[in-house]
Amino acid sequence: MTGDSLHFNAFIWPNGYHESAWRVVDDDVRGVLGLPYYANIARTAERGLMDSIFLADNIAIVEYRVTHLPQTQFDPISVLSALAAVTEKIGLIGTGSTTYNKPWELARRFATLDHLSGGRAGWNIVTTITPLAAANFGEKAHPDHADRYERAHEFVDVVTRAWDSWDDDAIVGDRENGVWADRAKLHAPRFHGKFYDVEGVLPFPRSPQGRPVLVQAGQSAAGIGLAARYAELVFSGPPSLEAAVKFRAELDTQVIAAGRDPRQVRVLPALMVTLGGTEAEAKARAQRLEELASPEFRWQNALYTAGLDPDAFDPDAPLPAELRAEGGSSRLQQLAAAARERPEAPLREIAGKITGGAGQVHFVGTPEQLADHVLTWQDAGAVDGFTIMGSTLPYELTAFVDHVVPILQRKGRYRTEYTGSTLREHLAP
């Protein structure tokens, strides 16, 4: 992988990924609720020739977050469809749950975005960690971790069959004989599995890139297994270089075992960045964000991202013994491991040390230092690039595009123009 062109995604979050971002930016506090905010970030990322913009999703509002964070969890497909009209090349990745959607309907929505954007759509496959989502969808219980991933495998299988229900050359367009498409080139899924029954073809042909790009973010054993079977882009990874190299090796091994080529899987883990003209300036900006961080939010968010309901716990008591066992999501394992080291410590103290929603590294430094960091990780074989999560937005993303990208271009390690028009072409080796 050494010397290959780097790849980058831009992660969009209200005012920035750090929880204190909204308190330090100068923008109108309600600006994140309007399309111009997203359009500005998308155009900046496209100016930087990034592979895609990336929208997460939460389908259950956790009320403690209303106090501490701007809440802008719009439907990703709706936002990305709007952004397709104000951009030309950049990929558009949105999150969609396999637990709280129907596969044929999700396939139709993402394929619609793929058509409207000229082949730039990607689906970030998630199983939804929070049990609070169940009540929003009229479900009595939230499936456990293993059940969600078993369901996810079948769900993705059905979605890809629906996307492939038209051959590439199904459209005939014969006006003289009145034949718009060749029915013989339609292949109904007629799928009957353990969880889903899906019969018919999608109501429109394949998109310019065939079907949306598949993205996966899980770090648990089940998440890696799902990524190995389906993903073309992997969003997560461990925070240390040594662990990231091992993660990539394990992923490649499982990709090969699934009969796929590891060179067709891009690993672009989350990297929160805070940049400055000098290292001291960057550290001061990062320190200001930390000074404004809420200890209450920290412990509550650690529980939420581990798939637990913060309102159900006493923060001044230890983590219950039944939750200290190994297993479950990667974040729950992280929380449990910390509790096993200090079983009598209050939950507030244990959980408060676990920061970030995606287990990402927080890089603080100059553009030159960030360029060196990126190249070190790529040359070690750990990554193909990163998903850039500006601690504040659009400021860190603008700094990345204006100052880091030119450094990487001068070194011959990053594209100087888009050579394709679809997301899959952007991700190609």
Side-chain angles (χ1 to χ4, degrees):
M1 282 171 282
T2 302
D4 287 354
S5 182
L6 287 155
H7 297 268
F8 295 105
N9 299 321
F11 192 94
I12 301 181
W13 200 251
N15 297 130
Y17 194 70
H18 195 282
E19 66 210 62
S20 305
W22 71 279
R23 300 182 63 186
V24 302
V25 300
D26 295 329
D27 302 5
D28 182 341
V29 72
R30 293 174 177 81
V32 293
L33 296 171
L35 180 59
Y37 171 78
Y38 297 91
N40 178 37
I41 291 174
R43 291 189 184 111
T44 300
E46 187 167 65
R47 181 166 60 82
L49 305 174
M50 300 177 82
D51 291 62
S52 76
I53 52 177
F54 192 117
L55 279 183
D57 194 19
N58 286 329
I59 52 176
I61 187 169
V62 189
E63 293 187 11
Y64 78 87
R65 292 170 73 95
V66 171
T67 301
H68 304 288
L69 291 176
Q71 294 303 301
T72 63
Q73 294 302 290
F74 300 129
D75 171 38
I77 295 292
S78 298
V79 176
L80 294 172
S81 295
L83 296 180
V86 298
T87 56
E88 295 180 356
K89 297 285 189 179
I90 196 162
L92 308 165
I93 296 175
T95 298
S97 173
T98 58
T99 306
Y100 294 102
N101 280 293
K102 296 292 186 180
W104 193 91
E105 189 269 345
L106 182 141
R108 178 173 179 255
R109 292 172 64 224
F110 272 94
T112 298
L113 173 63
D114 210 25
H115 266 287
L116 296 181
S117 64
R120 295 188 278 142
W123 170 32
N124 177 37
I125 306 162
V126 301
T127 65
T128 301
I129 193 169
T130 176
L132 302 177
N136 290 349
F137 289 83
E139 302 293 339
K140 294 182 179 179
H142 182 61
D144 66 25
H145 186 263
D147 288 344
R148 295 199 309 275
Y149 274 94
E150 183 183 7
R151 181 183 294 267
H153 277 272
E154 188 172 302
F155 190 108
V156 180
D157 190 9
V158 178
V159 168
T160 55
R161 291 184 190 216
W163 284 340
D164 293 342
S165 60
W166 292 64
D167 285 348
D168 287 334
D169 59 350
I171 299 177
V172 176
D174 184 347
R175 287 191 168 101
E176 183 177 347
N177 294 302
V179 179
W180 191 82
D182 183 352
R183 184 178 177 183
K185 294 186 177 181
L186 272 59
H187 311 283
R190 307 211 187 287
F191 183 93
H192 304 286
K194 180 178 179 180
F195 302 103
Y196 303 106
D197 293 280
V198 175
E199 283 288 328
V201 301
L202 288 183
F204 48 81
R206 284 162 70 80
S207 77
Q209 70 171 349
R211 63 191 193 191
V213 168
L214 295 176
V215 182
Q216 216 282 324
Q219 292 187 59
S220 66
I224 295 172
L226 186 66
R229 182 174 172 186
Y230 296 108
E232 299 165 76
L233 190 161
V234 174
F235 162 64
S236 61
S240 74
L241 178 56
E242 181 182 9
V245 170
K246 292 180 179 178
F247 174 86
R248 179 61 178 269
E250 173 61 24
L251 176 63
D252 285 355
T253 297
Q254 293 197 36
V255 168
I256 292 170
R260 302 175 61 216
D261 184 350
R263 292 174 297 181
Q264 302 302 316
V265 181
R266 291 276 156 258
V267 176
L268 306 178
L271 181 67
M272 182 161 67
V273 302
T274 299
L275 295 171
T278 64
E279 187 174 352
E281 179 188 338
K283 288 182 176 178
R285 295 185 70 237
Q287 180 60 34
R288 177 58 175 159
L289 290 169
E290 284 298 301
E291 288 171 353
L292 293 172
S294 164
E296 285 296 300
F297 173 83
R298 284 278 166 93
W299 74 260
Q300 291 172 333
N301 197 54
L303 265 63
Y304 169 69
T305 56
L308 304 172
D309 180 0
D311 289 341
F313 290 83
D314 177 0
D316 296 314
L319 184 71
E322 64 270 18
L323 293 176
R324 295 179 207 159
E326 296 184 11
S329 70
S330 56
R331 179 50 61 91
L332 181 56
Q333 292 177 42
Q334 186 181 7
L335 184 62
R340 287 195 298 272
E341 290 181 3
R342 302 180 59 201
E344 302 305 317
L347 179 57
R348 184 192 307 275
E349 183 177 333
I350 293 294
K353 297 181 183 301
I354 299 174
T355 61
Q360 80 289 329
V361 176
H362 184 183
F363 177 89
V364 179
T366 66
E368 293 79 10
Q369 290 171 330
L370 178 53
D372 289 342
H373 176 87
V374 169
L375 293 174
T376 297
W377 279 57
Q378 188 195 29
D379 290 345
V383 302
D384 298 298
F386 288 95
T387 297
I388 301 298
M389 310 172 88
S391 60
T392 63
L393 285 173
Y395 312 104
E396 310 302 343
L397 180 62
T398 301
F400 178 82
V401 167
D402 289 343
H403 301 292
V404 181
V405 164
I407 296 171
L408 298 173
Q409 288 173 328
R410 288 195 295 269
K411 293 177 180 291
R413 300 292 288 273
Y414 189 57
R415 63 171 68 102
T416 55
E417 62 180 353
Y418 287 113
T419 56
S421 59
T422 70
L423 175 54
R424 189 166 283 109
E425 287 172 329
H426 299 341
L427 293 169

